[in-house]
Amino acid sequence: MEQINELLEEEQTPVNNRVLIASYLKDKNLTGKINDSGLESDWTYLERKEDEVDNLFNFLTLKPAINQAMEEEHGLIIGVEPSIERIALAVRKYKKGAFMVLNSHQVAAILLKIWMDSGKYENLICVKSIHTSDLIEYMAIKSGLNCFNEIIEPGELKEAVREVQKTAENEPICGFNIDQQVFHTDLEFSDIIISIAQKELELRESGLTLFDYLLEIYQEFGFYKEKTITVDISSKTQKSHLLSIMDKIRKNPKYLESIFPLNTITDYRKGSKVSIMTDKVNSFPGSKENVLKMESTNNLSVTFAPTESKMTYYISIKGGVTSKEKYADKNKEMDEEILKVIQMLNRGNL
């Protein structure tokens, strides 16, 4: 019934051509550049909460903007935090349907595809956090681009890109971090915002939205689903147990074959990526961070990233092609697959 209602809404007056931009603070410089570009936009300012971790954009923080956009019939919401070049998107599944807030992985995929499709950035290089979706790396490699997976702390994307730029001074470089940061060496922050809005307007002329564009990406490169799980390891017993799992994987990854058939193990502390099938080792500059990633033969990966008090698991799974109508069911199915992995990790069955 919901899908029928949404389809009926398609026949009504379309949403207006103005984009709603949501920000925590006013930025006169950015506002001026957006206005000078000719982009039809409205601005709304969100309440910044002191106790909210880094004020990441999510459904709750964007809810006031979503309410306004529904009332005023905006087709797209762009959350922006200019001080650290952070972007979030809330898009409509159907032109007159409810808003869906995209995660940082989905925003990264949309931006990378826009830049690849533009034909403007020959030899584009992609720099991504190791915790950003494997989809980004796959898109880059399949399209013949170089992709660097880096350990990038929150707020440090630009510095990571600049490091790569030292050995690729004349090449355009884009970057994505798990904390919603985006960057492009050839573009100002305002240019990135405008390019997103222009793509939405272009799609709307064909009766589509950025959600359709995301589905096209999934259809071309595979449907990826990601989940971040954080476990408290302030207990010495819990901490010792979880760290010992990482040590076991490093020493003898093949012991997991019966429950987690491995393809590769990437040890960022040692700077090595080992193929379980061939024992081939690819080396890269190591890090002081104790981060370990294991990838299975069935399109599943788990990254272990412990700190002094927490263990964070970044889980990614790749599924088959999905349609707009089946997206919710496929999304739920992949959530259930990830839940099985989480339960296995929680039980310590590794």
Side-chain angles (χ1 to χ4, degrees), residues 9 26 48 119 122 161 246 260 264 273 278 280 313 341:
E9 286 177 328
K26 293 184 178 181
R48 192 179 185 92
E122 189 177 355
V161 171
M246 295 177 68
F260 198 97
T264 60
K273 183 172 183 176
T278 65
K280 181 180 178 180
Y313 302 108
V341 176

Side-chain angles (χ1 to χ4, degrees), residues 331-348:
N331 199 47
K332 182 179 179 182
E333 177 187 320
M334 294 176 76
D335 270 335
E336 290 171 353
E337 290 298 315
I338 289 177
L339 179 60
K340 292 177 184 177
V341 176
I342 294 170
Q343 291 171 338
M344 181 178 67
L345 293 169
N346 288 342
R347 290 195 300 264

